[in-house]
Amino acid sequence: MTEETGQSLASLPTKEEIIADAEKGVFNRNPLLTTPHEVVCKECGYRRNIVFLDYVRSGAFELGKTEMVEVVHAAPTLTGLGQTLEQMTPLILLVKCVRCEAEMSFSPLSLEYLLFTTQRNDSSTFYI
């Protein structure tokens, strides 16, 4: 149970379980993970493309602290928006600059997003 919300946090997979799933190909159909993304070194400004899934497979990430966040979504209400509290655990990629060797961290997605994508129907190709 969390002190702030009185809600229990769902059991989340460990880093080792995430790496094992990535090695089995569980995330291979996810375009966010398999598409190249540009990152810029904060030290020297060097730009390069990385594929998030490569970092997940290799274990070059950390799991951040799970927090409850307020999410606003479209809902059939008078204002047209609804609000809910959801848990979010940042998945922090650790990227080393190939030019100056500075280590950078990026948090482009959450662990809950990864879990959501694994629960999708295999025939579905649309991700949010």
Side-chain angles (χ1 to χ4, degrees), residues 107-120:
S107 183
L109 59 137
S110 70
L111 180 54
E112 291 75 13
Y113 171 79
L114 282 182
L115 296 177
F116 168 77
T117 62
T118 61
Q119 296 168 357
R120 301 286 298 172

Side-chain angles (χ1 to χ4, degrees), residues 25-27 29-31 33 112-128:
V26 171
F27 309 119
R29 294 189 58 200
N30 186 314
L33 295 174
E112 291 75 13
Y113 171 79
L114 282 182
L115 296 177
F116 168 77
T117 62
T118 61
Q119 296 168 357
R120 301 286 298 172
N121 184 334
D122 285 340
S123 65
S124 175
T125 57
F126 180 73
Y127 291 93
I128 299 172

Side-chain angles (χ1 to χ4, degrees), residues 46-111:
Y46 183 71
R47 296 175 181 271
R48 69 183 257 215
N49 287 326
I50 66 168
V51 175
F52 297 157
L53 187 54
D54 294 342
Y55 288 81
V56 174
R57 271 194 195 113
S58 70
F61 68 92
E62 296 174 353
L63 296 174
K65 180 183 174 201
T66 301
E67 297 181 15
M68 296 303 288
V69 295
E70 184 175 8
V71 178
V72 178
H73 54 88
T77 64
L78 189 56
T79 63
L81 297 176
Q83 298 176 354
T84 58
L85 285 177
E86 296 181 7
Q87 73 180 37
M88 191 213 56
T89 308
L91 194 139
I92 305 162
L93 301 179
L94 306 172
V95 180
K96 191 172 190 174
C97 179
V98 294
R99 179 188 283 168
C100 73
E101 297 189 3
E103 187 161 282
M104 303 164 283
S105 60
F106 298 94
S107 183
L109 59 137
S110 70
L111 180 54

